[in-house]
Amino acid sequence: PQDHPKGSRSAEDAAAFKRMLKEVNRLYLGTTVLILLDLSYVSRFWTQFESWLSMQFATPDGLKPAVGTKNERHHIVCIQNAAEQSELHEKMLIQSWATKTPEQAHAFLSKPDVTVTNQGDKDLQLPKIKALDATVQGAFGDISRSLEDELA
């Protein structure tokens, strides 16, 4: 949760929040994601980052587009004013994110018109986007080595 009023988190909660924030993106690579899309959705860092992650799937070769495959895990529901043209907004979000590589996602999310409440969150997450392919490949390699060790 947001730290409002500023400084209201205990030291223990702040440390736990910081630790979880470093890894939260991994959830969106492996779970079903319900996207509640309103008109402000496409201007916000976290919502767009999470949308991109939900439209990817992890393979031994890195991230691949999940849209249109058996690995598709996102569901979009347009709400509030976006509901008036839900097909248009849903199509726009999918076209914006479904096939972006980590490098393209990083470039897009780095732009100043992608807003975030806490700039530190954006600064922490952006470098991880570029490294996600290698992180995913490394995880598959670790699993493979672990299985080989068990079978040996």
Side-chain angles (χ1 to χ4, degrees):
Q2 297 295 322
D3 189 18
H4 292 294
K6 187 82 171 145
S8 63
R9 280 193 196 126
S10 69
E12 183 180 335
D13 285 346
F17 182 80
K18 189 173 183 177
R19 190 174 57 255
M20 288 183 271
L21 186 62
K22 289 180 182 179
E23 306 300 335
V24 71
N25 56 6
R26 294 179 187 202
L27 288 173
Y28 294 90
L29 283 173
T31 61
T32 299
V33 177
L34 174 62
I35 296 170
L36 300 175
L37 193 155
D38 65 8
L39 293 181
S40 69
Y41 193 96
V42 296
S43 68
R44 298 191 325 261
F45 174 79
W46 280 109
T47 55
Q48 292 187 90
F49 183 27
E50 292 159 3
S51 290
W52 174 68
L53 290 168
S54 76
M55 294 181 198
Q56 308 300 307
F57 73 100
T59 76
D61 297 321
L63 297 177
K64 302 291 180 209
V67 174
T69 75
K70 65 180 179 169
N71 298 296
E72 191 168 323
R73 301 174 327 282
H74 73 281
H75 302 279
I76 301 171
V77 176
C78 292
I79 60 172
Q80 300 178 34
N81 289 325
E84 291 180 21
Q85 295 182 310
S86 60
E87 285 182 35
L88 174 72
H89 293 294
E90 184 175 340
K91 184 177 180 178
M92 181 268 316
L93 188 67
I94 291 169
Q95 286 180 342
S96 294
W97 291 111
T99 61
K100 278 197 174 23
T101 64
E103 293 77 19
Q104 291 167 327
H106 179 276
F108 188 96
L109 292 168
S110 295
K111 294 187 175 142
D113 64 341
V114 177
T115 61
V116 66
T117 303
N118 180 350
Q119 184 62 39
D121 291 352
K122 191 172 178 178
D123 295 341
L124 178 68
Q125 297 300 318
L126 281 171
K128 290 168 54 176
I129 295 171
K130 282 186 172 178
L132 269 176
D133 262 343
T135 300
V136 167
Q137 290 169 0
F140 273 94
D142 291 346
I143 291 169
S144 179
R145 284 186 293 281
S146 180
L147 288 173
E148 288 171 5
D149 290 346
E150 282 185 34
L151 296 173

